[in-house]
Amino acid sequence: MAVIDINADLGEGFGIWELGDDLALLDMITSANVACGFHAGDPLIMRRVCAAAVERGVTIGAQVSYRDLAGFGRREMDVPAPELTAEVLYQLAALDGIARTEGGRVSYVKPHGALYNRAARDVVQARALAEAVRAYDPSLPLLTLPGSAVHDVADGLTVVAECFADRAYTPAGALVSRKEPGAVIHDQNAVVERVVRMAVDGTVVAADGTQVALKARSVCVHGDTPGAVALVRAVRAALSEAGVALEPFA
């Protein structure tokens, strides 16, 4: 039987500004990537999301980012490796401390946005990310793309491959840049079909129509897109109907 984890980005509001329906999503996902304050989120939001995740038995992950609130962490930055390691460590430690006060803990790490994509191809930044995880807790898995450079620099860390429900792929198995048209797929039926294919067959149809091998243990459904709750509900139902077991990877 195929097994998959459903993860979503949560806690991405800031102060009085809200983004997405965290509580509704927590009822349907198995892992929560919680913003740590650098691209979104603040201490109160972090605490609320961690408490709600613990209450529902959802695994908590630290979604670490470049220090870029204005750009929502989607602007690529040339951060020196020692500084990037320290900033990831700072975010990870902050969220884990808050999660533990609510009876939980951080169980994995996932980079966000521009850092996610940069680390997938940049060995220096991938190593800086891995060094932060190793310094804090080397047992924590890192969530990334199947062909990411993170796999090459893990050096004993557990690396878990992830696929994306609503993002277009290049023929090389990378994500199509959000600057390109069609990078985000909004058609619910198309998204559901893609997720089932990725979970059952381990393949995805790229933007040019070619079929790409994509073996992943977790699937990400973005919580900040319109209709995200209905989309996750449909994805979950389709996976169950296809006989795919839903279980967290961490």
Side-chain angles (χ1 to χ4, degrees), residues 4-5 7 21 24 46 50 55 80 87 91 116 118 130 133 147-148 154 158 173-174 182 185 203 205 229 235 248:
I4 200 81
D5 165 73
N7 76 75
D21 191 338
M46 291 160 67
C50 286
E55 182 181 4
E87 292 196 340
Q91 295 172 78
Y116 186 97
R118 179 71 175 266
V133 177
S148 170
T158 299
I185 300 166
T203 63
V205 177
V229 173
V235 164

Side-chain angles (χ1 to χ4, degrees), residues 107-109 133-134 137-144 150-151 154-161 249-250:
S107 296
Y108 67 95
V109 178
V133 177
R134 184 176 295 107
D137 183 350
S139 72
L140 295 178
L142 263 168
L143 195 58
T144 187
V150 176
H151 294 271
D155 192 22
L157 295 177
T158 299
V159 182
V160 177
F249 63 87

Side-chain angles (χ1 to χ4, degrees), residues 164-170 174-177 181-185 194 204-207:
F164 287 80
D166 51 2
R167 291 294 306 278
Y169 280 84
T170 71
L175 298 179
V176 173
S177 169
V184 180
I185 300 166
R194 286 163 63 86
V204 67
V205 177

Side-chain angles (χ1 to χ4, degrees), residues 8-10 12 17-22 25 39 72 74 112 166 178 184 186 220-229:
D9 304 342
L10 302 183
E12 292 188 315
W17 182 69
E18 296 181 1
L19 180 65
D21 191 338
D22 291 342
L25 288 169
H39 77 280
F72 199 65
R74 288 180 175 161
H112 165 81
D166 51 2
R178 284 182 178 269
V184 180
H186 297 286
C220 176
V221 182
H222 285 101
D224 62 340
T225 54
V229 173

Side-chain angles (χ1 to χ4, degrees), residues 70-157:
F72 199 65
R74 288 180 175 161
R75 299 183 293 192
E76 190 166 301
M77 297 182 171
D78 289 318
V79 182
E83 183 177 347
L84 181 58
T85 295
E87 292 196 340
V88 170
L89 182 59
Y90 181 95
Q91 295 172 78
L92 172 54
L95 183 67
D96 190 42
I98 288 175
R100 288 177 185 273
T101 69
E102 299 302 327
R105 61 181 291 268
V106 166
S107 296
Y108 67 95
V109 178
K110 176 182 174 178
H112 165 81
L115 178 57
Y116 186 97
N117 292 317
R118 179 71 175 266
R121 69 177 193 277
D122 185 326
V123 173
V124 174
Q125 293 216 352
R127 184 175 291 112
L129 171 67
E131 284 300 322
V133 177
R134 184 176 295 107
Y136 188 77
D137 183 350
S139 72
L140 295 178
L142 263 168
L143 195 58
T144 187
L145 290 172
S148 170
V150 176
H151 294 271
D152 301 326
V153 301
D155 192 22
L157 295 177

